[in-house]
Amino acid sequence: MAVSESRGGLSPGDLWAAASTLSPRIQHLRDQYWSFYDRTYTNEVRAFTTGTAWDTVYSMWSWTNVPETALFLPGFRSYLLAAATRVELPHHFWREPLVVRRALFFREVLRQYLPVEILEGELIVGSHLNTALSRCLNKREARERDHAERDFLAEWHQLNDSGVGNCAAVPGHLVPDYRKALRVGWSGLYYEARDIAEAPDATAAQRDLARAVMICADGVRDYMRRNAAEARRLSGQGNDPTRIAELQEIARIAGKVPWNPPETFPEALQALWTTHMLLMAAESYPGPGVSPGRVDQYLLPYYEADIAAGRLTRDTAKEWLECWWIKHNYVYDYQGWTGTNQGINASFGQLITLGGIKADGSDASNELTHLMLDVIDEINLLEPKPNIRLHAKTPEPLLDRIVDSLARAQGSPFLLNFDEASMAGLRWQGLPEEQLWDYAPVGCLENTLAGCDRSGTVDVNLNLAKAIELALNDGRDPATGKQIGPQTGLASDFESFDDLWHAFRAQLLHLADWIIRVNDMADAGRGRWEPVPYMSAVVDGCLQSGRDSNAGGARFNFLTVEGIALATAADSLAAVKRLVFEEHQIEMPQLLDALRANFDGHEPLRQTLLHKAPKYGNDDAAVDALARDISRCWTEAVFQHTSPTGKRYRGGYLSWNYWIAYAPTTAATPDGRKRGQYLSNAVCPVNGADRKGPTAVIKSVGHLHLASAPNGASHTMSFSPSLLRNPEQRAKLKGLLRAYDKVGGTCLQINVIDAATLRAAQKHPDEYRNLLVRVTGYNAYFAGLGKEIQDEIIARESHGL
Amino acid sequence: MDSSSTAAATAAASAPLLRNLSVTGTTFNIQQFSTEDGPGIRTTVFLKGCPLRCAWCHNPEGMRVAPDLMWYDVRCIAARECLSICPEQALALSQSGMQIDRARCTLCGKCVRACPSAAFELIGKQWTAEELLDELLKDQVFYETSGGGVTFSGGEPLTQIDFLSEVLPLCKAAGLQVALDTCGAVASDRLRRVLPWIDLVLYDLKVMDAAASKAATGVSNELILDNARLLAEHGTPLWIRTPLVPGYTANADNIRAIADFIRNCLPSVQRWDLLAYTNLGRPKYHRLDRPYALEDAALLTRGDMEALWRVAVELVPQAQWSGATC
């Protein structure tokens, strides 16, 4: 059966391959990227050590927010160290303070060890960014650090293994001040640091950090000199005059930027890439969520100048842009041997932000926004991941363009961020009103200010549904019998819904306190033993304060607690409220028995819970109000906490893949869910619980009043392609987006795929290897996902027809 | 959940004494984010009751005004609560499914409330005009951003003319754009009564030959054609809709005759939708224990649809086709 005007006649390859309009150069570069098994260059992880017996090149506490890898962390740590190259250290190395040691070490790696390779046909250079760098600790520091990490991991296991959640000192995850790095060049950053280092009233901490930044800047300059030399060497060997000219231009640019400020669009792209890739390298392995931010804003002057001067045409500028674009994808080489079809752990969200507003509130989209949308349509690659900021004044042609892209993509080529709701959250969080317009999301969708805000995201991930389980079991985990929460009374003694609510609230706040206390251990350790002078050079506030970016030196410092399973928790409370306390259809002891038995032998009761209670996602005040109360309860509570490095905790809803990870460790819930069935994802309804279509879901999300979760909230909706089959129908989706801006959440991802296509892709992964979908805030190739998540995506209600 | 009776009781208790409480509407569905029943994003109200008995009808639960009891085999978990609670002993469960003795069933709804897995549904929810308006206003923001509104469909919505006369003025007063989706087989004065509150009429023209119309839909079509002319004279914007059903309406002569009629008599037609026959209604007949005339009918092919569309568009350029084909 075919739906009229669908694209049933096209083969999968036609649908998801790059467009045929790519230039031969870009097509070649794209193919080169995809040829991991054949190419000689790979960007696999390169580890570098000081050579001491106690060295560490991999921090386990950085990755404990990926619980499925927990078992492997000690292995990663020891294998990487065993494989590490020993770096010759300057003689004064061990006499320097730690932050300077880190800078010296990085500079040595950039000067002598990080390979320099220019790929055939490329115009933007700088290839090796996946590293594992020594933490540069002396023996005493290493002992203290490892001790702290062990203590942290022991506590972490208690949280994770009981299904409460996880936490980590997550690297990366910020929008650095690339705008400034382009404006003043690394020489400008160097001189600014020198002025601080030489100021008579500078503190020791200011002087140390400033010296460390100067050393990093040296390293950047020297690394690009090596690239320039390599380009000259290759140009001397070549016999293709076009390529020789290109290599000479590459050598010229590499000799100039990013040490000197760029003056043309190609120079700006090279300066941006170098600054970015070295930040990824400095963060190690590489740093995830390092997000370039509003590139269509800060690259525009360079683009316009080149077009005006006739140095570039739109097409030649696009080719430079696409050369830059492809480079970001090489981060995935780190897992090349386990499959280049990157799966759900593909978390290197190098987010770029398009559109949005200017300081005066007017629309900020421009020619470069549209050029980048052309690139997104054509190139079909995972990185960089685009988010588009929509707002009340988004021009109609841009919205048309976006909806057309969605219609063509068979997947979700970008996320949509909604300015009004996003800015309301940042305002709630206390960021200065005059800077809110310039926010940009990080990683997947996490809203932060650009260049001055170390907002840390996905640091802490809290399973809200666990508090339901504890409230019904007097604080005991029914799986283990352990008392992990306060004793809030036997549920069979609850006389009213208020009793249950108070118990739930007490459990939830206890879990939030607990998980934050554990995260504080990782944050304190990272702040003390893992300074990041390179990052600190491009985060406003660090040099001035003399505090490293990891130690709370940025102008604004936050850590984010992401809520998991909001709808599962809300539906559970609503079911007990309606069926036990209001309609008396179910007795509490009967419910508790059924939950304890995981509903075995209680199927009629489970069906009653599923069918006779209100469910979040249907614009039903009876349950949406409870969801809002839960959300306000924990987000307001975590905002009262500040970490040892002075970072304030704030809430959000990303829930990554945790709604699957914690399904087995969350007992049966009164919404009718059995242990092991997935929890709800971010602010989405429980799968299948939304019965009234997309408008009702959007209204329910709007009812949450998400300002108190300023990090932002992931909301995924899937639509059948028939909704976008012609301009008349596409206009309806535009209407839906305009309304979302008024009533909905902060961030929406739209997948336009029919279930039949997905099932075919599951069966024939090779034919569909380019099928790109969005999963809770990040892109993934469908064929590379685990079967559970594939099933989940297929099961998602397809709205529309 | 069957909250209609309690909701009605609450409304009765709190309503002003002067209001006529006897007028309530009966719906078989309220469809939000309706994208196929008029411009923009809409909420479509499906009112029960229809004078026609089209052989291909995909909403058989909309035919009569009275409630209909439906049983969903896929939801049944054989909890058997319904069997013991039915006061008329009208239910029996066997290997082949639930047998409902519809002669004995009084539509009391006890089985619906008793069934834990919602395998029974009593179709026919009661609304006061105010309650329905509240429901429709839930999506007002979406209507505004998309140029949408509400569509009253059915069944035949004009069957419930008294309720429509109450709710339509409320919709207009609330600033909603209102479309009426009618089969036209109603007394003309009913149409005249509601026209002041209607912005657009979706009008069905199915079979042009009177005898064939009678055979296919149970009624002759004179009244339908008269009412179409009446709307055109009134200047009401019209979207004509023709289901293309194999063996009934999907032939070139019929399409040409409808096209002639539109071109000659209906100047206010803005578009003409040719809708491919859908068999989505088939399971509903089974759930209602009713025979379905098109049990084995195949869907039309894309070629069939395009050929008929070419006949239509030759005379009526506003013609377009949509729907599932095989």
Coordinates of all heavy atoms in Angstrom, one line a residue, chain B residues 99-151:
Chain B
Q99 N -19.6 -12.7 22.1 CA -20.9 -12.6 21.5 C -21.8 -11.7 22.3 O -22.0 -11.9 23.5 CB -21.6 -14.0 21.4 CG -21.1 -14.8 20.2 CD -19.8 -15.6 20.5 OE1 -19.8 -16.2 21.5 NE2 -18.8 -15.4 19.7
I100 N -22.2 -10.6 21.6 CA -23.1 -9.7 22.3 C -24.5 -9.9 21.8 O -24.7 -9.8 20.5 CB -22.7 -8.2 22.0 CG1 -21.2 -8.0 22.4 CG2 -23.6 -7.2 22.7 CD1 -20.6 -6.7 21.9
D101 N -25.4 -10.2 22.6 CA -26.8 -10.4 22.2 C -27.4 -9.0 22.2 O -27.8 -8.4 23.2 CB -27.6 -11.3 23.2 CG -29.0 -11.6 22.7 OD1 -29.5 -10.8 21.9 OD2 -29.6 -12.6 23.2
R102 N -27.3 -8.4 21.0 CA -27.7 -7.0 20.9 C -29.2 -6.7 21.1 O -29.6 -5.6 21.4 CB -27.2 -6.4 19.6 CG -25.7 -6.3 19.6 CD -25.1 -5.7 18.4 NE -23.6 -5.8 18.4 CZ -22.8 -4.9 18.9 NH1 -23.2 -3.9 19.5 NH2 -21.5 -5.2 18.9
A103 N -30.0 -7.8 21.0 CA -31.4 -7.6 21.2 C -31.7 -7.4 22.7 O -32.6 -6.7 23.2 CB -32.2 -8.8 20.7
R104 N -30.8 -8.1 23.5 CA -31.0 -8.0 25.0 C -30.3 -6.8 25.6 O -30.7 -6.3 26.6 CB -30.5 -9.3 25.7 CG -31.2 -10.5 25.2 CD -30.7 -11.8 25.8 NE -31.2 -12.0 27.1 CZ -31.2 -13.1 27.7 NH1 -30.7 -14.2 27.1 NH2 -31.8 -13.3 28.9
C105 N -29.2 -6.5 25.0 CA -28.3 -5.4 25.5 C -29.1 -4.1 25.6 O -29.7 -3.7 24.7 CB -27.1 -5.2 24.6 SG -26.1 -3.8 25.1
T106 N -29.1 -3.5 26.8 CA -29.8 -2.2 27.0 C -28.8 -1.0 27.0 O -29.2 0.1 27.3 CB -30.5 -2.2 28.3 OG1 -29.5 -2.3 29.4 CG2 -31.5 -3.3 28.4
L107 N -27.5 -1.3 26.6 CA -26.5 -0.2 26.6 C -26.3 0.5 27.9 O -26.1 1.7 28.0 CB -26.9 0.8 25.5 CG -27.0 0.2 24.1 CD1 -27.6 1.3 23.1 CD2 -25.6 -0.3 23.5
C108 N -26.4 -0.3 29.0 CA -26.3 0.3 30.3 C -24.9 0.7 30.7 O -24.7 1.5 31.5 CB -26.8 -0.7 31.4 SG -25.8 -2.1 31.6
G109 N -23.9 0.1 30.0 CA -22.5 0.5 30.2 C -21.8 -0.2 31.3 O -20.6 0.1 31.6
K110 N -22.4 -1.1 32.0 CA -21.8 -1.8 33.2 C -20.6 -2.6 32.7 O -19.6 -2.6 33.4 CB -22.8 -2.7 33.9 CG -23.8 -1.8 34.7 CD -24.7 -2.7 35.6 CE -25.5 -1.7 36.5 NZ -26.7 -2.4 36.9
C111 N -20.7 -3.2 31.6 CA -19.5 -4.0 31.1 C -18.3 -3.1 30.8 O -17.2 -3.4 31.0 CB -19.9 -4.8 29.8 SG -20.6 -3.8 28.5
V112 N -18.6 -1.9 30.3 CA -17.6 -0.9 29.9 C -16.8 -0.5 31.2 O -15.6 -0.5 31.2 CB -18.2 0.3 29.3 CG1 -17.1 1.4 29.0 CG2 -18.9 0.0 28.0
R113 N -17.6 -0.3 32.3 CA -16.9 0.1 33.5 C -16.2 -1.1 34.1 O -15.1 -0.9 34.7 CB -17.9 0.7 34.5 CG -18.3 2.1 34.1 CD -19.2 2.8 35.2 NE -20.5 2.2 35.3 CZ -21.5 2.5 34.5 NH1 -21.4 3.4 33.5 NH2 -22.7 1.9 34.6
A114 N -16.7 -2.2 34.0 CA -16.1 -3.4 34.6 C -14.9 -3.9 33.9 O -14.0 -4.5 34.6 CB -17.1 -4.5 34.7
C115 N -14.8 -3.7 32.7 CA -13.7 -4.3 31.9 C -12.4 -3.6 32.3 O -12.3 -2.4 32.1 CB -13.9 -4.2 30.4 SG -12.5 -4.9 29.5
P116 N -11.4 -4.3 32.8 CA -10.1 -3.6 33.2 C -9.3 -3.2 32.0 O -8.6 -2.2 32.1 CB -9.4 -4.7 34.0 CG -9.9 -6.0 33.5 CD -11.4 -5.7 33.1
S117 N -9.5 -3.8 30.9 CA -8.6 -3.5 29.8 C -9.2 -2.7 28.7 O -8.7 -2.6 27.6 CB -8.0 -4.8 29.2 OG -9.1 -5.6 28.8
A118 N -10.4 -2.1 29.0 CA -11.1 -1.2 28.1 C -11.4 -1.9 26.7 O -11.3 -1.3 25.7 CB -10.3 0.1 27.9
A119 N -11.8 -3.2 26.8 CA -12.1 -3.9 25.6 C -13.5 -3.5 25.1 O -13.8 -3.7 23.9 CB -12.0 -5.4 25.8
F120 N -14.3 -3.0 26.0 CA -15.6 -2.5 25.6 C -15.6 -1.0 25.5 O -15.0 -0.4 26.3 CB -16.7 -2.9 26.6 CG -17.2 -4.3 26.5 CD1 -16.8 -5.3 27.4 CD2 -18.0 -4.7 25.4 CE1 -17.3 -6.6 27.3 CE2 -18.5 -6.0 25.3 CZ -18.1 -6.9 26.2
E121 N -16.3 -0.5 24.6 CA -16.4 0.9 24.5 C -17.9 1.3 24.1 O -18.4 0.7 23.2 CB -15.5 1.5 23.4 CG -15.3 3.0 23.5 CD -14.4 3.6 22.4 OE1 -13.8 2.8 21.7 OE2 -14.3 4.8 22.3
L122 N -18.5 2.1 24.9 CA -19.8 2.6 24.6 C -19.7 3.9 23.8 O -19.3 4.9 24.4 CB -20.6 2.8 25.9 CG -22.1 2.9 25.7 CD1 -22.7 1.7 25.1 CD2 -22.8 3.1 27.1
I123 N -19.9 3.8 22.5 CA -19.7 4.9 21.7 C -20.9 5.9 21.6 O -22.0 5.4 21.3 CB -19.3 4.4 20.3 CG1 -18.0 3.6 20.4 CG2 -19.1 5.6 19.3 CD1 -17.5 3.1 19.2
G124 N -20.6 7.1 22.0 CA -21.7 8.1 22.1 C -21.6 8.9 23.4 O -22.1 8.5 24.4
K125 N -20.7 9.9 23.3 CA -20.4 10.7 24.5 C -21.3 11.9 24.4 O -21.5 12.5 23.4 CB -19.0 11.1 24.5 CG -18.5 11.8 25.7 CD -17.0 12.0 25.7 CE -16.4 13.0 26.6 NZ -16.6 12.7 28.0
Q126 N -21.9 12.2 25.6 CA -22.9 13.3 25.7 C -22.1 14.6 26.1 O -21.3 14.6 26.9 CB -23.9 13.0 26.8 CG -24.7 11.8 26.5 CD -25.8 12.0 25.5 OE1 -26.5 13.0 25.5 NE2 -25.9 11.1 24.5
W127 N -22.5 15.7 25.4 CA -21.9 17.0 25.7 C -23.0 18.1 25.8 O -23.9 18.1 25.0 CB -21.0 17.4 24.6 CG -19.9 16.5 24.2 CD1 -19.9 15.4 23.4 CD2 -18.5 16.6 24.7 NE1 -18.7 14.8 23.3 CE2 -17.8 15.5 24.1 CE3 -17.8 17.5 25.5 CZ2 -16.5 15.3 24.2 CZ3 -16.5 17.3 25.7 CH2 -15.8 16.2 25.1
T128 N -22.8 19.0 26.7 CA -23.6 20.2 26.6 C -22.7 21.1 25.7 O -21.5 20.9 25.4 CB -23.7 21.0 28.0 OG1 -22.4 21.4 28.4 CG2 -24.3 20.1 29.0
A129 N -23.4 22.1 25.2 CA -22.7 23.0 24.2 C -21.5 23.7 24.9 O -20.4 23.8 24.3 CB -23.7 24.1 23.7
E130 N -21.6 24.0 26.2 CA -20.5 24.7 26.9 C -19.3 23.7 27.1 O -18.2 24.1 26.9 CB -20.9 25.2 28.2 CG -21.8 26.5 28.2 CD -23.3 26.1 27.9 OE1 -23.6 24.9 27.8 OE2 -24.1 27.1 27.8
E131 N -19.7 22.5 27.4 CA -18.6 21.5 27.6 C -17.8 21.3 26.3 O -16.6 21.2 26.3 CB -19.2 20.2 28.1 CG -19.6 20.1 29.5 CD -20.5 19.0 29.8 OE1 -20.9 18.2 28.9 OE2 -20.9 18.8 31.0
L132 N -18.6 21.2 25.2 CA -17.9 20.9 23.9 C -17.1 22.1 23.5 O -16.0 21.9 23.1 CB -19.0 20.6 22.9 CG -18.4 20.2 21.5 CD1 -17.5 19.0 21.6 CD2 -19.5 20.0 20.5
L133 N -17.6 23.3 23.8 CA -16.8 24.5 23.4 C -15.5 24.5 24.2 O -14.4 24.7 23.6 CB -17.6 25.8 23.8 CG -16.8 27.1 23.5 CD1 -16.6 27.2 22.0 CD2 -17.5 28.3 24.1
D134 N -15.5 24.1 25.5 CA -14.3 24.1 26.3 C -13.3 23.1 25.7 O -12.1 23.4 25.6 CB -14.6 23.6 27.7 CG -15.2 24.7 28.6 OD1 -15.2 25.9 28.1 OD2 -15.7 24.4 29.7
E135 N -13.8 22.0 25.2 CA -12.9 21.0 24.6 C -12.3 21.5 23.3 O -11.1 21.3 23.1 CB -13.8 19.7 24.3 CG -13.0 18.5 23.8 CD -12.1 17.9 24.8 OE1 -12.2 18.2 26.1 OE2 -11.2 17.1 24.4
L136 N -13.1 22.2 22.6 CA -12.6 22.7 21.3 C -11.6 23.9 21.5 O -10.7 24.0 20.7 CB -13.8 23.2 20.4 CG -14.8 22.1 20.0 CD1 -16.0 22.7 19.2 CD2 -14.2 21.0 19.2
L137 N -11.8 24.6 22.5 CA -10.9 25.7 22.8 C -9.5 25.3 23.2 O -8.6 26.1 23.2 CB -11.5 26.7 23.8 CG -12.7 27.5 23.3 CD1 -13.3 28.4 24.5 CD2 -12.3 28.4 22.2
K138 N -9.4 24.0 23.6 CA -8.1 23.5 24.0 C -7.0 23.8 23.0 O -5.9 24.0 23.3 CB -8.2 22.0 24.3 CG -8.7 21.7 25.7 CD -8.7 20.2 25.9 CE -8.9 19.9 27.4 NZ -8.8 18.4 27.6
D139 N -7.4 23.6 21.7 CA -6.4 23.8 20.6 C -6.5 25.1 19.9 O -6.0 25.2 18.8 CB -6.6 22.6 19.6 CG -5.8 21.3 20.1 OD1 -5.3 21.4 21.2 OD2 -5.8 20.3 19.4
Q140 N -7.1 26.1 20.5 CA -7.3 27.4 19.9 C -6.0 27.9 19.3 O -5.9 28.5 18.2 CB -8.0 28.4 20.8 CG -8.4 29.6 20.0 CD -9.3 30.5 20.9 OE1 -9.3 30.4 22.1 NE2 -10.1 31.3 20.3
V141 N -4.9 27.8 20.1 CA -3.7 28.4 19.7 C -3.2 27.8 18.4 O -2.6 28.5 17.5 CB -2.6 28.3 20.8 CG1 -2.3 26.9 21.1 CG2 -1.3 29.0 20.4
F142 N -3.5 26.5 18.2 CA -3.1 25.8 17.0 C -3.9 26.3 15.8 O -3.4 26.4 14.7 CB -3.1 24.3 17.1 CG -2.2 23.8 18.2 CD1 -2.7 23.6 19.5 CD2 -0.9 23.5 17.9 CE1 -1.9 23.1 20.5 CE2 -0.1 23.0 18.9 CZ -0.5 22.8 20.2
Y143 N -5.2 26.6 16.0 CA -6.0 27.1 15.0 C -5.5 28.4 14.5 O -5.4 28.7 13.3 CB -7.5 27.3 15.4 CG -8.2 26.1 16.1 CD1 -9.1 26.4 17.1 CD2 -7.8 24.8 15.9 CE1 -9.8 25.4 17.8 CE2 -8.4 23.8 16.6 CZ -9.4 24.1 17.6 OH -10.0 23.1 18.3
E144 N -5.1 29.2 15.5 CA -4.7 30.6 15.2 C -3.4 30.6 14.4 O -3.2 31.4 13.5 CB -4.6 31.4 16.5 CG -5.9 31.8 17.0 CD -5.8 32.3 18.5 OE1 -4.7 32.4 19.0 OE2 -6.9 32.7 19.0
T145 N -2.5 29.7 14.7 CA -1.2 29.8 14.0 C -1.2 29.1 12.7 O -0.3 29.2 11.9 CB -0.1 29.1 14.9 OG1 -0.5 27.8 15.2 CG2 0.2 29.9 16.1
S146 N -2.3 28.3 12.4 CA -2.3 27.6 11.2 C -3.5 27.9 10.2 O -3.6 27.4 9.2 CB -2.4 26.1 11.5 OG -3.7 25.8 12.0
G147 N -4.3 28.9 10.6 CA -5.5 29.2 9.8 C -6.5 28.1 9.9 O -7.2 27.9 8.9
G148 N -6.6 27.4 11.0 CA -7.5 26.3 11.2 C -8.7 26.7 12.0 O -9.1 27.9 12.1
G149 N -9.4 25.7 12.5 CA -10.6 25.9 13.3 C -11.2 24.6 13.6 O -10.5 23.6 13.8
V150 N -12.6 24.6 13.7 CA -13.3 23.4 14.0 C -14.2 23.0 12.9 O -14.6 23.8 12.1 CB -14.1 23.6 15.3 CG1 -13.2 23.9 16.5 CG2 -15.2 24.6 15.1
T151 N -14.3 21.6 12.7 CA -15.2 21.1 11.7 C -16.2 20.2 12.4 O -15.9 19.3 13.2 CB -14.4 20.2 10.7 OG1 -13.4 21.1 10.1 CG2 -15.3 19.6 9.7

